[in-house]
């Protein structure tokens, strides 16, 4: 179970890191983390677990969702790989390369999600929040996820994060469209 979990989280973090240097936007949670990082003067990777995941984990406990080993691993590994990728991967200058980065990011995040979610070792912090609120409020997961993503994206944008086309077409947004209502 460790290899699919850690490999999946690493692929997810790598995919998120590929979106950062592309001026097409990032995932909603990364737009929020970008805004936090700008104001707190910390790296993007560490803005994510320190501010976002701690708050989300606290809310998860209050909403009945129990974090597991996979939840805590999600917080640490994705942040580390995201930071490593943003430092190691050069920003693309050619338009075709920006598209390759964005498509590679979507593919990496999708594959990473498939691996780490199938381990059943606990949801990621946002997924735990989403399922906890769903159980507590008895509202469709589609609407809960949409509300979480919209709030996080809006606050991130107000704080100076970089939303864009990739934000709207990210795997997190695509799964909303394919979820059953």
């Amino acid at each position: 179970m460790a290899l699919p979990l850690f490999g999946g989280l690493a692929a997810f973090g790598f995919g998120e890191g590929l979106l950062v240097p592309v001026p097409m936007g990032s995932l909603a949670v990364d737009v929020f983390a970008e805004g936090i990082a700008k104001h707190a003067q910390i790296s993007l990777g560490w803005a994510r677990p320190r501010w976002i995941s701690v708050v989300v984990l606290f809310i998860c406990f209050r909403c009945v969702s129990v974090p597991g080993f996979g939840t805590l691993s999600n917080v640490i590994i994705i942040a580390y790989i995201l930071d490593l990728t943003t430092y190691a991967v050069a920003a693309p200058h050619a338009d075709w390369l920006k598209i390759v980065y964005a498509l590679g990011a979507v593919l990496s995040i999708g594959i990473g999600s498939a691996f780490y979610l199938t381990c059943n070792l606990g949801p990621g912090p946002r997924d735990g929040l989403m399922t906890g609120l769903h159980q507590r409020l008895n509202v469709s997961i589609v609407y809960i996820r949409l509300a979480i993503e919209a709030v996080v994206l809006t606050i991130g944008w107000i704080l100076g994060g970089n939303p864009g086309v990739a934000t709207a077409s990210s795997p997190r947004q695509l799964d909303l469209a394919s979820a059953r209502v």
Side-chain angles (χ1 to χ4, degrees):
M1 285 294 177
L3 185 60
L5 173 68
F6 296 144
L9 292 173
F12 197 101
F14 177 72
E16 287 192 27
L18 284 179
L19 284 176
V20 172
V22 178
M24 296 176 154
S26 300
L27 301 179
V29 71
D30 290 331
V31 172
F32 181 70
E34 284 177 28
I36 294 289
K38 285 180 181 179
H39 290 280
Q41 297 181 347
I42 56 178
S43 72
L44 178 62
W46 289 114
R48 199 167 193 264
R50 287 192 181 159
W51 299 99
I52 298 167
S53 298
V54 171
V55 171
V56 169
L57 286 172
F58 174 75
I59 295 169
C60 284
F61 281 118
R62 303 283 298 154
C63 291
V64 185
S65 181
V66 180
F69 178 71
T71 309
L72 300 175
S73 298
N74 179 303
V75 171
I76 296 165
I77 293 171
I78 290 177
Y80 177 73
I81 299 297
L82 172 62
D83 257 357
L84 187 64
T85 305
T86 57
Y87 290 125
V89 176
H93 296 290
D95 288 340
W96 68 270
L97 196 52
K98 292 174 186 176
I99 293 169
V100 169
Y101 270 43
L103 292 175
V106 169
L107 183 63
S108 185
I109 291 168
I111 291 170
S113 294
F115 277 104
Y116 97 79
L117 290 174
T118 57
C119 293
N120 295 319
L121 293 173
R126 284 175 297 148
D127 294 332
L129 174 62
M130 177 186 65
T131 57
L133 287 172
H134 167 68
Q135 292 169 358
R136 183 78 103 171
L137 301 174
N138 198 25
V139 174
S140 171
I141 284 188
V142 173
Y143 301 122
I144 297 285
R145 172 161 247 148
L146 183 60
I148 290 169
E149 297 287 331
V151 167
V152 166
L153 177 63
T154 302
I155 293 170
W157 179 61
I158 290 169
L159 291 173
N162 179 34
V165 175
T167 307
S169 62
S170 70
R172 291 287 183 196
Q173 303 304 326
L174 291 175
D175 67 7
L176 287 173
S178 63
R180 293 183 188 162
V181 180

